[in-house]
């Protein structure tokens, strides 16, 4: 397999197929790459397809920086029916006559969800309540109160695919933690009826786009330096690199950082050395150190 030469440290941009859980993909990847040191950034529902990022080797230590990046999704919203899971995998729980709803009305209803909104996590989600994942409680036939959580919808495009049948394409750019199935259901409610989601595909996580993604059996591991490409970066001299490798607290000027961080710190050879963050006034400290001492 291409991309496996050298050290198994880096990130793999997988195009997840439908029917696989994110955990299934990780388990399969461990067999393919011959290492257990693999994790994923951002769960995808089993029925969803698209970008799933896998951290391999030392990159697993950096996945927490990938998870908060903006996400892009496409999916199909079906007006007129609600399901127990808010998507096509569930049983129909309610139906509505929404034949009179026009595309302009759908676009106007969707516009109200752009910006900062709150969502109640679905019972079929992986969110934990009282130490248990909601989908585990749902499988046991339990429903528990869930607190609404703030999320941000940066953009929301709605295109009729079959207006007569009430099927619309959703194109969503959103913050981490947004439930697209909940968004579709809420738009349906705002139109005076109901809706559910189908054919969800994650198009991007940050700059990692589906155009780069490959099936797990042919995926390549991108270099470790690529993991932090969506963050501000600095390149340091060998002298500073040695201090970074030792995890030293530095001044902002010593690191050469601007802005608010976190900053990916690279050596002159483009090796990712560490990730630094603010530490008091005009000082910075490492939150992850990747490199050994440079000589």
């Amino acid at each position: 397999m291409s991309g496996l030469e050298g050290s198994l440290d880096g990130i793999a941009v997988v195009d997840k197929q439908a029917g696989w859980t994110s955990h299934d993909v990780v388990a399969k990847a461990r067999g393919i790459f011959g290492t257990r040191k693999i994790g994923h950034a951002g769960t995808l529902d089993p029925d969803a397809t698209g970008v799933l990022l896998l951290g391999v080797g030392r990159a697993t230590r950096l996945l927490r920086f990938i998870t908060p990046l903006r996400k892009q999704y496409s999916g199909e919203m079906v007006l007129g029916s609600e399901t127990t899971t808010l998507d096509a995998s569930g049983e129909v729980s309610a139906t509505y006559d929404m034949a009179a709803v026009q595309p302009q009305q759908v676009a106007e209803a969707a516009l109200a969800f752009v910006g900062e909104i709150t969502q109640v996590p679905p019972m079929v989600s992986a969110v934990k309540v009282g130490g248990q994942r909601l989908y585990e409680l749902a499988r046991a036939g339990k429903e528990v109160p869930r607190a609404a959580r703030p999320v941000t919808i940066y953009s929301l495009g709605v295109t009729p695919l079959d207006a007569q049948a009430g099927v619309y394409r959703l194109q969503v750019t959103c913050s981490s933690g947004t439930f697209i199935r909940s968004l579709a259901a809420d738009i349906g409610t705002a139109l005076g009826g109901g809706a559910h989601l189908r054919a969800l595909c994650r198009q991007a996580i940050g700059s990692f786009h589906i155009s780069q993604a490959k099936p797990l059996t042919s995926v390549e591991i991108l270099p470790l330096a690529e993991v932090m490409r969506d963050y501000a970066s600095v390149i340091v001299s060998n002298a500073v690199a040695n201090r970074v490798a030792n995890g030293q607290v530095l001044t902002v000027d010593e690191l050469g950082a601007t802005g608010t961080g976190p900053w990916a710190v690279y050596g002159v050879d483009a090796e990712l050395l560490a990730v630094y963050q603010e530490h008091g006034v005009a000082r910075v400290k490492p939150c992850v150190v990747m490199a050994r001492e440079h000589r």
Side-chain angles (χ1 to χ4, degrees), residues 248-264:
Q248 291 186 17
V249 173
L250 304 173
T251 67
V252 170
D253 289 341
E254 286 172 334
L255 188 65
T258 59
T260 58
W263 301 273

Side-chain angles (χ1 to χ4, degrees), residues 101-117:
V101 175
Q102 298 299 307
Q104 182 62 31
Q105 293 173 282
V106 178
E108 290 174 357
L111 188 61
F113 291 90
V114 176
E116 294 185 3
I117 64 172

